[in-house]
Amino acid sequence: MTGPVTVTGAGVAGLCVATELAARGVSVTLRDRAARPGPHGCSWWAGGMLAPFCEGETAEEPVVRLGREAAGWWARQGVPVIRNGTLVLALGRDRHEITRFARRTTGHRALDRDALARLEPDLAGRFDGALHFPDEAHITPRAALATLHDRLVDQGATLDASPAAPSGITVDCRGLEARDTLPDLRGVKGEMIVLHTPEVTLHRPVRLLHPRFPLYIVPRGDGVFMLGATQIESGERGRPTVRSVLELLTAAYALHPAFAEAAVLEIGTDARPAFPDNLPRIRRRGATIHVNGLFRHGFLLAPALARMTADLICDNKNPEVMDEDHGER
Amino acid sequence: MVAFYGTELSSRLMLGTAQYPSPAVLAEAFRRSGAGIATLSLRREAGGDQAGADFWALVRDLGVRVLPNTAGCHSAREAVTTAQMARELFGTPWIKLEVIGHADTLQPDPFALVEAARILTDDGFQVFPYTTEDVVLADRLLAAGCEVLMPWGAPIGTGLGLTNIYGLRTLRAQFPDVPMVVDAGLGLPSQAAMAMEMGFDAVLLNTAVARAGDPAAMAEGFAKAVAAGRLAHEADPMEPRDMAAPSTPVIGRAFL
């Protein structure tokens, strides 16, 4: 029987690890400086796209493979998973970007004007063609974090906001805060905007390809849309800039001019924790297991990392993403 | 060897550091290309409190000379401020001066460019101005104290290659002793080779490598093309002519 485990950091990584451990009968204490998931963790600002195939355009192979576990995992936790796929579009003069994107990804089918109109009637006539990734999905990040949190409480997990040093096994999921012990971790700034308009309806995340400002827009339902996200080599965690906001809003307006009259509900920013190859890592150092570097793939990869972490703790099975192991047996 | 402001470099390839899938891929591209200079943008990454320092450290670790740039600056004043920050951060007087005049094409603003170049050279900077192939503008930049010119091949990120070959040839011929780097707009190694064959001293590119499916392989491809183009230039190529020229007399036929 595995002894009690402390998970530090209640972002998407920590909550998924705690959930997976609790499901295997481990007594879990979740430590976070705030009582509930909130804006102090970068997953609060995420898009919630479960789009492993699209990410394959630039991400390495493990992201595509491990990310395929995500939709099923989230659904099993009682999180509403919308499985309408992803739509990839480009504006007129960037049309060749679609060809390039198609060449570098799998799991898509080409849509002509009519097929696109059937799938997303509000985009009818605005684009000549698109790619559809039918096996992709999306969730609402803040609701998903709250669901995991509340379930852990219901299952009797201990929540702890005190900074006391834990005893026993600790899983460190503090994201960028763990830079004190993981010097090769860096921040990659992202900015996002939440809009509301009753005039546009979309059923699935849309990615707009642009050579300089790639954008995605995720429908949250009830006329709410999340626009994301910039990717800037900077660890800055506040201060969304005018340039980034201009880029995001310009792209939204290009997707559908009705966004011009949308209400701006929120402008947010944070920095994603990433290692030099932008792939996640599990590192065991004594009684501490670090789970970090999920980069822009928090909701996509946290389920697979949680599974691997629980396998390591409960069954002593080495995770494929563990690059450092100074453990105690 | 090629020298910029008295610093000799063995590689005639310079690479930008933006848009790669990850810093690990960036490092691999540098390793395989042997590029001697890495350009680095600061304007957007600096943030409130040197928040880009982690990435800058990764670029420093490439072990090549860093050429900070003022990408993203749209006025002389902005560019000067960014250059001053770069000098402090990287301890180098080198600055690649970009002053964008047109947001869509990222075309340089020639007037602000000359103004900023003068301010910076007066302040002790060694300026690498990103410019067009315009000869008059080149003359003004040299008068402002620049000792290197970086004419574009085509607008940034287009991958169109050398869109005004006549203009570039003229520029090269007008200022034969000024080190010149073809910067921006290159998409394929053959275009880089052509620039080198025309007598340019080096090429600088970013998107063509960073956005390739295999950036490291593309970087190596560019390195080979740059070396080939340079060799051809040094070898004094033959002049093209309109008809076949037999190397031995053709007996019994009239010679043309």
Side-chain angles (χ1 to χ4, degrees):
Chain A
M1 189 62 196
T2 309
V5 174
T6 302
V7 177
T8 46
V12 68
L15 285 165
C16 287
V17 167
T19 297
E20 192 67 25
L21 287 169
R24 301 192 194 191
V26 176
S27 162
V28 178
T29 299
L30 185 62
R31 291 178 66 237
D32 191 281
R33 63 168 188 250
R36 292 189 62 79
H40 61 298
C42 74
S43 39
W44 185 256
W45 308 101
M49 291 187 296
L50 306 178
F53 300 103
C54 284
E55 288 301 312
E57 186 221 355
T58 50
E60 310 264 348
E61 179 276 336
V63 174
V64 181
R65 178 167 44 85
L66 299 173
R68 295 175 73 170
E69 295 177 33
W73 191 92
W74 285 106
R76 286 196 295 283
Q77 315 312 319
V79 169
V81 175
I82 302 169
R83 296 173 183 266
N84 286 347
T86 305
L87 209 53
V88 174
L89 299 168
L91 295 168
R93 65 177 183 177
D94 305 323
R95 207 174 289 122
H96 59 275
E97 294 282 326
I98 295 252
T99 319
R100 187 185 53 79
F101 198 89
R103 212 165 53 226
R104 292 187 188 167
T105 53
T106 56
H108 52 73
R109 60 190 182 110
L111 302 181
D112 61 14
R113 247 178 130 79
D114 295 340
L116 173 61
R118 281 193 296 276
L119 214 56
E120 292 290 1
D122 277 10
L123 299 178
R126 301 194 49 75
F127 297 89
D128 289 336
L131 294 175
H132 184 215
F133 291 73
D135 298 327
E136 296 188 331
H138 68 285
I139 57 179
T140 302
R142 294 175 190 177
L145 295 173
T147 300
L148 293 191
H149 179 269
D150 295 349
R151 273 167 50 103
L152 282 163
V153 174
D154 291 345
Q155 289 167 359
T158 311
L159 302 180
D160 183 2
S162 75
S167 58
I169 295 177
T170 299
V171 185
D172 185 331
C173 300
R174 289 179 297 142
L176 212 47
E177 299 274 312
R179 283 203 61 208
D180 51 359
T181 48
L182 303 174
D184 52 346
L185 203 59
R186 75 186 198 287
V188 182
K189 183 178 178 181
E191 289 138 305
M192 57 83 90
I193 298 175
V194 183
L195 302 178
H196 176 263
T197 174
E199 293 179 47
V200 183
T201 303
L202 295 174
H203 301 88
R204 53 189 55 75
V206 174
R207 290 178 183 236
L208 192 61
L209 304 181
H210 183 283
R212 294 208 293 273
F213 326 125
L215 163 112
Y216 59 78
I217 180 157
V218 187
R220 296 270 186 250
D222 298 325
V224 177
F225 296 88
M226 182 269 196
L227 297 182
T230 52
Q231 198 165 300
I232 300 165
E233 286 290 349
S234 164
E236 191 172 59
R237 302 194 60 180
R239 217 182 61 96
T241 64
V242 168
R243 173 179 301 190
S244 296
V245 170
L246 278 172
E247 286 177 9
L248 292 170
L249 292 178
T250 302
Y253 178 66
L255 180 70
H256 201 301
F259 280 116
E261 290 303 317
V264 178
L265 300 185
E266 191 177 354
I267 298 176
T269 179
D270 207 334
R272 317 161 176 98
F275 289 110
D277 57 4
N278 292 344
L279 287 173
R281 298 275 198 290
I282 295 175
R283 284 179 181 166
R284 180 156 63 177
R285 292 177 179 173
T288 301
I289 297 168
H290 289 276
V291 178
N292 216 319
L294 276 70
F295 184 45
R296 55 180 272 156
H297 304 124
F299 286 82
L300 184 66
L301 294 184
L305 280 137
R307 167 181 59 77
M308 291 183 213
T309 308
D311 284 348
L312 176 64
I313 292 170
C314 301
D315 305 325
N316 209 24
K317 202 168 128 192
N318 273 359
E320 64 166 276
V321 300
M322 185 153 75
D323 69 335
E324 194 183 305
D325 186 11
H326 307 293
E328 295 167 336
R329 295 285 161 106
Chain B
M1 296 287 260
V2 56
F4 301 110
Y5 290 103
T7 299
E8 290 203 335
L9 293 162
S10 53
S11 171
R12 293 173 180 269
L13 177 62
M14 307 180 178
L15 289 180
T17 54
Q19 298 184 333
Y20 288 79
S22 70
V25 174
L26 163 71
E28 179 64 10
F30 268 84
R31 198 188 59 75
R32 274 180 68 181
S33 69
I37 289 182
T39 61
L40 181 63
S41 66
L42 301 176
R43 174 81 178 118
R44 196 172 189 186
E45 291 76 5
D49 190 24
Q50 318 284 313
D54 287 340
F55 183 70
W56 302 337
L58 289 168
V59 171
R60 271 200 209 93
D61 289 347
L62 295 172
V64 303
R65 182 136 189 162
V66 175
L67 173 58
N69 70 35
T70 62
C73 293
H74 290 250
S75 69
R77 191 172 158 183
E78 230 184 316
V80 167
T81 310
T82 304
Q84 285 162 345
M85 184 177 72
R87 179 164 64 180
E88 247 173 65
L89 282 171
F90 292 95
T92 172
W94 281 17
I95 188 76
K96 184 190 153 191
L97 181 60
E98 270 182 50
V99 188
I100 300 304
H102 190 246
D104 198 30
T105 59
L106 304 181
Q107 188 162 336
D109 177 335
F111 308 98
L113 187 66
V114 173
E115 184 191 345
R118 188 171 295 117
I119 295 169
L120 289 171
T121 49
D122 285 351
D123 192 17
F125 280 92
Q126 295 175 335
V127 177
F128 295 64
Y130 167 59
T131 180
T132 66
E133 71 280 3
D134 190 285
V135 171
V136 180
L137 174 54
D139 198 37
R140 296 286 191 278
L141 287 167
L142 296 172
C146 298
E147 294 176 21
V148 175
L149 295 175
M150 296 184 111
W152 66 354
I156 294 172
T158 56
L160 291 171
L162 309 180
T163 52
N164 182 358
I165 291 168
Y166 167 78
L168 286 167
R169 276 195 205 288
T170 307
L171 181 68
R172 180 69 282 181
Q174 286 296 313
F175 307 100
D177 301 324
V178 175
M180 283 190 209
V181 184
V182 171
D183 171 17
L186 300 182
L188 286 168
S190 53
Q191 297 157 354
M194 187 174 185
M196 297 305 295
E197 288 160 9
M198 287 164 65
F200 288 94
D201 297 277
V203 299
L204 166 54
L205 47 117
N206 188 345
T207 313
V209 167
R211 305 265 292 168
D214 184 343
M218 189 60 89
E220 187 180 335
F222 267 102
K224 289 181 168 166
V226 167
R230 179 64 197 177
L231 276 175
H233 176 72
E234 288 171 350
D236 188 12
M238 64 172 281
E239 291 299 329
R241 50 173 292 167
D242 283 341
M243 57 194 72
S247 52
T248 51
V250 182
I251 307 286
R253 303 253 176 107
F255 295 111
L256 293 169

